[in-house]
Amino acid sequence: MAKTTKKPRTKRELDVLRDYACRLFLSGETQRVIAAKTGLTEATVSRWAREENWDARRREHNSSSVALVNSLMLAARKISEQIITRLNKGETDDIDGITKLSDNIAKVMASAKRIAKGITKDEIIDVIIDLEQWMMQRAETDEELTPELLTTINGLHKKYIECISAQEA
């Protein structure tokens, strides 16, 4: 069997991958999944996690404003689902109840917007990761999200992360 040789990565490329891998870890991914998504070895991901104390960063991250905004967005989604359920059941007689739920969505979203006003590169990466995770789940039931399309989108996300990382440097 012929050995495949990988192109050596530059320091810059490794820095971008390290940052991306860390963001994946902070979002809850395992080191094994991170290695698969980034094309790195599990040993490399494990070493970076240990050297940069990713576990402590994950604990801190989970209590940050990003986590709060994500929680608020989840609350808004649950309220939206309540409205949709009521409308699908034909409960249009309770317009006051539906209006009250709609007002609650507006308040929750306004709060999330105020908290998230100062968007950082890390927060952009968090959104990209959340989107990728959602697409992976959605792909299980949505035939339009083919493996090829997901690969293309993931590649574009990586390029975008590299672009915003280069702007910050």
Side-chain angles (χ1 to χ4, degrees):
M1 184 185 306
K3 276 189 178 179
T4 58
T5 57
K6 290 186 179 179
K7 176 182 102 172
R9 293 192 169 112
T10 67
K11 180 179 178 348
R12 178 79 185 128
E13 290 171 329
L14 284 174
D15 288 343
V16 168
L17 280 173
R18 182 182 293 119
D19 186 50
Y20 181 58
C22 181
R23 301 311 306 161
L24 287 170
F25 184 82
L26 294 179
S27 75
E29 290 290 358
T30 65
Q31 291 181 16
R32 174 171 284 148
V33 169
I34 294 166
K37 283 186 174 185
T38 59
L40 298 164
T41 65
E42 288 182 46
T44 297
V45 174
S46 178
R47 180 173 41 86
W48 287 349
R50 190 177 52 257
E51 290 173 355
E52 298 174 8
N53 202 5
W54 287 1
D55 286 321
R57 291 174 65 185
R58 181 187 272 174
R59 284 189 299 274
E60 180 182 314
H61 174 78
N62 288 340
S63 64
S64 72
S65 62
V66 173
L68 179 56
V69 169
N70 288 338
S71 296
L72 288 169
M73 299 301 281
L74 179 62
R77 189 175 110 216
K78 287 181 179 180
I79 296 169
S80 296
E81 289 169 357
Q82 289 177 11
I83 293 170
I84 291 167
T85 300
R86 286 184 178 192
L87 292 173
N88 286 340
K89 288 182 178 178
E91 296 179 18
T92 54
D93 296 344
D94 186 19
I95 295 298
D96 289 338
I98 292 172
T99 302
K100 188 179 241 182
L101 288 172
S102 298
D103 289 344
N104 286 339
I105 289 175
K107 289 175 185 174
V108 168
M109 296 301 288
S111 295
K113 186 176 179 180
R114 280 193 303 274
I115 292 167
K117 220 172 192 169
I119 297 175
T120 66
K121 177 188 77 160
D122 289 345
E123 291 164 330
I124 291 169
I125 293 171
D126 287 338
V127 170
I128 289 171
I129 290 168
D130 288 345
L131 175 62
E132 287 175 351
Q133 290 173 343
W134 176 82
M135 286 189 303
M136 293 299 290
Q137 289 173 344
R138 177 79 185 204
E140 294 172 9
T141 57
D142 189 336
E143 293 177 0
E144 291 180 9
L145 288 172
T146 64
E148 294 79 17
L149 179 58
L150 293 173
T151 299
T152 300
I153 292 170
N154 189 34
L156 291 169
H157 286 163
K158 286 180 184 178
K159 288 178 182 178
Y160 181 69
I161 290 168
E162 290 171 2
C163 176
I164 63 174
S165 295
Q167 290 172 355
E168 219 175 60

